[in-house]
Amino acid sequence: SNQKFIVCNADEGDPGAFSDRYLLEQQPHSVLLGMMIAGYIAGADTGVVYIRAEYPESIAITHKAIEDLHTQKLLGENILDSGFNFNFKVIAAQGAYICGEETALLSSIEGQRPELRVRPPYPVQQGLFNKPTVVNNVETLACIPYIIKNGGNKFAAIGIGKSTGTKLISLDGFFKKPGIYEVDMGTPLSSVVNELGGGFRTPVKAMHIGGPLGGLVPVEKINDLTVDFESFSQHGFLLGHASVVCIPEKFPIVKYLEHLFAFTAHESCGKCFPCRLGSVRGQE
């Protein structure tokens, strides 16, 4: 198709995750430039930034960054006489957890009920309005300018195994030094917890890493894990968005699991039986 889209998935719905918010508010031009480069390479002239509505500052700052690019004549028609056209549309998402899944996100942009689509066809074949669409997350897109400037080999040299580059990790308020940290893939989880995070303020028995569908990592497993997808997968966990939510020693795990099942039952889009029925039965 002549019409193609680049979509940025900034619907950061995982509790305890705020790396997308950091990038959109502190480094919006990295994200936007990444989308423009992706558009130039793929032959797309439209970028859609889908930001969760609970991030009003992110939406305002992204709008301002887009205006700045227009002012500098780096956006619009025939940018810098290159023959390349590119424009952005910012959409404030309406807070459904399912919209973080790429096909449900595309349905949401189209104004349809946000439900997962059957694949194939994949979004790169038939995505937004059935046109070829690249959907990527904020962190991936923000890495593109560095890769174009320094080369893919330099980026791939960071990290370990198939997990190359760096990872942004969100540490919650149970750490002595909470916040966002960028680490090389393959960094020991113990270094993140004890050196960057400064250890725990109060006794913690487990860390929920990678959002509601991620794994509950007991504190005694911290020394076994490194921050990369393979290490987490081999131990039965999920790195995902790398958000860390701590569970204090006095909080019953069963109560926490009830909360997780209530969350999934509430947020299920209702399309598939195992999720629609299983999450409710699990909660019961």
Side-chain angles (χ1 to χ4, degrees), residues 168-229:
L168 290 173
I169 297 185
S170 309
L171 301 184
D172 73 357
F174 278 96
F175 289 90
K176 288 177 182 170
K177 296 189 285 185
I180 286 278
Y181 293 92
E182 183 178 19
V183 300
D184 290 358
M185 285 284 197
T187 301
L189 184 61
S190 57
S191 300
V192 174
V193 171
N194 300 316
E195 293 167 28
L196 299 177
F200 302 113
R201 281 178 207 272
T202 54
V204 163
K205 62 180 169 186
M207 301 188 300
H208 195 177
I209 300 177
L213 309 178
L216 290 163
V217 180
V219 288
E220 57 267 21
K221 293 281 284 182
I222 288 174
N223 291 328
D224 299 342
L225 294 167
T226 54
V227 180
D228 58 86
F229 298 106

Side-chain angles (χ1 to χ4, degrees), residues 19-65:
S19 54
D20 290 0
R21 182 177 182 180
Y22 161 76
L23 287 169
L24 290 169
E25 294 179 12
Q26 303 294 329
Q27 301 186 38
H29 290 99
S30 295
V31 180
L32 297 174
L33 185 58
M35 292 179 72
M36 291 170 71
I37 294 169
Y40 181 78
I41 292 165
D45 64 1
T46 304
V48 181
V49 192
Y50 188 91
I51 308 174
R52 67 180 300 203
E54 291 89 340
Y55 288 173
E57 296 94 341
S58 299
I59 294 167
I61 290 166
T62 302
H63 272 297
K64 173 74 169 62

Side-chain angles (χ1 to χ4, degrees), residues 59-71:
I59 294 167
I61 290 166
T62 302
H63 272 297
K64 173 74 169 62
I66 292 168
E67 284 173 23
D68 290 346
L69 288 170
H70 273 295
T71 305

Side-chain angles (χ1 to χ4, degrees), residues 30-268:
S30 295
V31 180
L32 297 174
L33 185 58
M35 292 179 72
M36 291 170 71
I37 294 169
Y40 181 78
I41 292 165
D45 64 1
T46 304
V48 181
V49 192
Y50 188 91
I51 308 174
R52 67 180 300 203
E54 291 89 340
Y55 288 173
E57 296 94 341
S58 299
I59 294 167
I61 290 166
T62 302
H63 272 297
K64 173 74 169 62
I66 292 168
E67 284 173 23
D68 290 346
L69 288 170
H70 273 295
T71 305
Q72 303 280 341
K73 297 196 167 35
L74 296 173
L75 259 189
E77 306 301 308
N78 192 20
I79 300 167
L80 301 177
D81 297 323
S82 63
F84 173 56
N85 309 326
F86 202 83
N87 282 294
F88 283 103
K89 182 174 180 66
V90 177
I91 291 178
Q94 293 306 309
Y97 182 66
I98 194 67
C99 289
E101 195 280 331
E102 62 179 10
T103 59
L105 182 151
L106 295 175
S107 293
S108 172
I109 295 173
E110 293 172 0
Q112 299 185 56
R113 177 187 171 92
E115 284 186 343
L116 277 70
R117 299 179 184 180
V118 176
R119 289 171 288 194
Y122 291 90
V124 287
Q125 298 155 332
Q126 285 175 261
L128 190 58
F129 303 113
N130 283 327
K131 303 293 185 187
T133 305
V134 169
V135 186
N136 253 313
N137 62 41
V138 180
E139 196 173 346
T140 302
L141 291 162
C143 288
I144 293 177
Y146 174 90
I147 294 167
I148 292 293
K149 187 177 178 185
N150 299 290
N153 289 337
K154 188 164 183 183
F155 186 81
I158 307 166
I160 187 169
K162 290 182 181 174
S163 300
T164 55
T166 62
K167 190 80 194 84
L168 290 173
I169 297 185
S170 309
L171 301 184
D172 73 357
F174 278 96
F175 289 90
K176 288 177 182 170
K177 296 189 285 185
I180 286 278
Y181 293 92
E182 183 178 19
V183 300
D184 290 358
M185 285 284 197
T187 301
L189 184 61
S190 57
S191 300
V192 174
V193 171
N194 300 316
E195 293 167 28
L196 299 177
F200 302 113
R201 281 178 207 272
T202 54
V204 163
K205 62 180 169 186
M207 301 188 300
H208 195 177
I209 300 177
L213 309 178
L216 290 163
V217 180
V219 288
E220 57 267 21
K221 293 281 284 182
I222 288 174
N223 291 328
D224 299 342
L225 294 167
T226 54
V227 180
D228 58 86
F229 298 106
E230 290 83 7
S231 170
F232 271 69
S233 176
Q234 285 160 11
H235 287 86
F237 303 116
L238 186 77
L239 180 61
H241 212 76
S243 55
V244 180
V245 174
C246 295
I247 298 153
E249 245 172 31
K250 291 180 180 173
F251 196 88
I253 287 287
V254 169
K255 196 173 175 185
Y256 188 72
L257 292 178
E258 284 176 5
H259 163 72
L260 286 180
F261 270 112
F263 177 86
T264 51
H266 179 72
E267 293 290 352
S268 171

